[in-house]
Amino acid sequence: MASLNVGNLGGFLREQRRSAQLSLRQLADAAGVSNPYLSQIERGLRKPSAEILQQLAKALRISAETLYVQAGILDERDRAETEVRGVILADPSINERQKQVLLQIYESFRKENGLQTASDDASDTPDTGADVAAPSN
């Protein structure tokens, strides 16, 4: 029996496909999946993998994270963090160092508010020599 999340995903996919004015066959071809398989996903009979969801998102020109949330793979809070990080990293008006500093500030605010971030482990490692204390003699 299909789970509730899969049914919601199917309806959401159908809506997105119709909004994009694509037939079931056109979307299946663009995403590299079979027409019957896509039909089963839309009817809530199949639960696609994250890879298939990514292919569908690309074909629909929407974020994969949106489909991951609909499928229950990604929590809405995780999606918000991913989107914030993505926007910062994609901004062409700031350089790489500024992006990293901005991400560190964002993560520190999330920690201060009791929220864990996906990159907590990465932020424990300093990225410049200035943060590392010199050995004493």
Side-chain angles (χ1 to χ4, degrees), residues 37-95:
Y37 182 63
L38 180 56
S39 175
Q40 290 174 347
I41 293 170
E42 282 193 1
R43 290 181 288 141
L45 302 175
R46 292 284 188 124
K47 184 172 183 175
S49 67
E51 182 179 331
I52 296 296
L53 290 174
Q54 188 173 27
Q55 290 170 220
L56 289 167
K58 184 176 180 183
L60 289 167
R61 297 181 183 194
I62 61 175
S63 74
E65 289 81 9
T66 300
L67 292 184
Y68 295 161
V69 169
Q70 289 294 321
I73 295 173
L74 187 65
D75 185 89
E76 186 70 36
R77 290 173 298 182
D78 296 335
R79 175 182 171 210
E81 179 189 351
T82 301
E83 287 179 352
V84 168
R85 292 179 59 78
V87 168
I88 291 169
L89 292 171
D91 189 338
S93 67
I94 58 177
N95 66 39

Side-chain angles (χ1 to χ4, degrees), residues 17 22-32 38 42 56 59-60:
R17 178 176 58 78
L22 293 171
S23 70
L24 192 69
R25 186 174 308 279
Q26 288 171 321
L27 178 57
D29 288 344
L38 180 56
E42 282 193 1
L56 289 167
L60 289 167

